[in-house]
């Protein structure tokens, strides 16, 4: 490399060199101070990702479904048996659960031979189409507060930040599926039943099929043993068309199990 002519350092250059030396001397002290602070701080390992099973979460939900966490002050009606023995609990913040029958709702855009079949559902898919009961797993809640009081003595979804297509887990005999809030139970008469908004225990043809329950709108259903666990809030609204909603709901199942399990203190 060719050497250039010798140039005498300027005062500005000498000052820069002195400043750099001062920083170099101070740097080890700064590092030592930082190390000391780190060593004195509590050491916590990053939490490991845990996938809770359906059995673990359901057991924790049942354990926390007590008189202290009961939401309703008047009992609901089992849709299949008509017994007034269904209660709703809040086992952890923003989570609501009940155990009842699964009567079959075949309403919506899918045709069905059931004489009570209606072409509409209370809520629609993201494209504005009526839900398809044979393709979309959904559950049913009361359309209004039967008592016309606020707060409602019965569980009324509008008082608990629950909206159309709200996600829920549905458990039955060791199985768990994802479902959405798709239809409501009003207080009216149909050719084969007297409906009552206090009823709890109805779900779509697709929900029954996924759970292994006879899914005919006229002869299907089960009298008891189905637990529905609703997670409230806008982040748990399931979006999609009728062709997508089932896959989208099933894709949220493990996230829901983990969220509820963590909230209930499972490890």
């Amino acid at each position: 490399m060719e050497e250039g002519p010798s140039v005498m350092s300027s005062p500005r250059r000498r000052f820069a060199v002195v400043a750099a030396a001062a920083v170099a001397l101070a740097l080890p002290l700064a590092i030592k101070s930082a190390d000391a602070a780190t060593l004195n701080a509590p050491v916590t390992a990053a939490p490991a990702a845990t996938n809770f099973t359906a059995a673990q979460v359901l057991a924790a939900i049942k354990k926390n479904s007590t008189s202290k966490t009961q939401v309703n002050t008047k009992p609901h009606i089992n849709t299949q048996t008509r017994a007034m023995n269904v209660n709703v609990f809040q086992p952890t913040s923003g989570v609501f659960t009940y155990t009842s029958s699964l009567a079959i709702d075949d309403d919506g855009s899918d045709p069905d031979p059931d004489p009570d079949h209606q072409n509409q559902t209370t809520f629609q898919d993201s494209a504005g189409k009526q839900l398809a009961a044979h393709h979309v797993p959904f559950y049913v809640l009361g359309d209004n507060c039967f008592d016309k009081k606020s707060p409602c003595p019965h569980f009324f979804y509008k008082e608990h930040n629950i909206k159309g297509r709200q996600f829920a887990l549905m458990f039955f005999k060791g199985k768990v599926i994802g479902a959405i809030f798709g239809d409501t139970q009003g207080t009216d008469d149909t050719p084969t039943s007297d409906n009552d908004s206090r009823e709890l225990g109805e779900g779509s043809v697709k929900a029954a099929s996924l759970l292994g329950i006879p899914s005919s709108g006229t002869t299907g259903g089960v009298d008891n043993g189905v637990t529905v666990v609703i997670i409230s809030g806008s982040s748990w609204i399931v979006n999609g068309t009728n062709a997508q909603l089932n896959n989208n709901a099933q894709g949220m199942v493990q996230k829901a199990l983990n969220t509820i399990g963590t909230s209930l203190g499972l490890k």
Side-chain angles (χ1 to χ4, degrees):
M1 181 175 178
E2 183 179 355
E3 293 185 359
S6 176
V7 180
M8 194 171 177
S9 297
S10 68
R12 179 179 298 174
R13 180 177 177 83
R14 287 197 300 273
F15 177 78
V17 171
V18 172
V23 170
L25 288 171
L27 188 57
L29 295 175
I31 292 173
K32 288 181 180 178
S33 297
D35 286 345
T38 302
L39 290 171
N40 291 330
V43 178
T44 55
T50 301
N51 283 336
F52 300 114
T53 67
Q56 286 177 302
V57 173
L58 182 58
I61 288 169
K62 296 289 187 183
K63 180 180 179 181
N64 288 276
S65 296
T66 67
S67 58
K68 292 182 179 179
T69 62
Q70 185 171 318
V71 177
N72 58 302
T73 56
K74 291 184 178 180
H76 285 264
I77 301 169
N78 177 309
T79 303
Q80 285 275 92
T81 68
R82 314 306 297 171
M84 297 187 71
N85 61 0
V86 180
N87 294 307
V88 180
F89 303 92
Q90 186 176 358
T92 188
S93 178
V95 175
F96 303 91
T97 183
Y98 61 90
T99 298
S100 187
S101 62
L102 191 73
I104 307 302
D105 185 330
D106 52 41
D107 292 340
S109 56
D110 283 333
D112 194 278
D114 181 0
D116 290 340
H117 171 77
Q118 300 179 44
N119 294 326
Q120 295 182 330
T121 49
T122 302
F123 303 108
Q124 291 73 46
D125 71 5
S126 296
K129 304 294 185 182
Q130 303 300 321
L131 294 179
H134 288 257
H135 292 83
V136 178
F138 62 76
Y139 59 95
V140 178
L141 300 175
D143 186 59
N144 55 34
C145 177
F146 180 88
D147 311 88
K148 296 180 173 60
K149 295 179 180 179
S150 182
C152 188
H154 294 93
F155 175 76
F156 181 40
Y157 73 92
K158 288 185 178 180
E159 295 181 341
H160 301 287
N161 199 21
I162 294 170
K163 302 182 185 303
R165 302 201 309 273
Q166 195 80 46
F167 178 83
L169 294 169
M170 296 181 73
F171 297 84
F172 182 69
K173 290 188 175 180
K175 294 184 178 181
V176 63
I177 66 167
I180 67 170
F181 180 22
D183 208 0
T184 56
Q185 183 69 272
T187 301
D188 53 30
D189 295 331
T190 58
T192 60
S193 64
D194 296 327
N195 296 311
D196 191 310
S197 61
R198 293 172 294 179
E199 292 178 31
L200 283 176
E202 186 170 359
S204 68
V205 173
K206 184 66 173 179
S209 177
L210 291 173
L211 289 170
I213 295 170
S215 58
S216 165
T218 54
T219 61
V222 65
D223 284 351
N224 218 321
V226 177
T227 298
V228 179
V229 183
I230 306 165
I231 309 180
S232 64
S234 59
S235 63
W236 289 93
I237 301 293
V238 185
N239 295 313
T241 65
N242 277 308
Q244 300 166 333
L245 282 168
N246 177 45
N247 285 341
N248 292 351
Q250 304 323 314
M252 296 169 67
V253 168
Q254 191 61 60
K255 176 185 175 184
L257 290 172
N258 293 348
T259 298
I260 297 171
T262 299
S263 182
L264 290 173
L266 294 181
K267 297 179 181 178

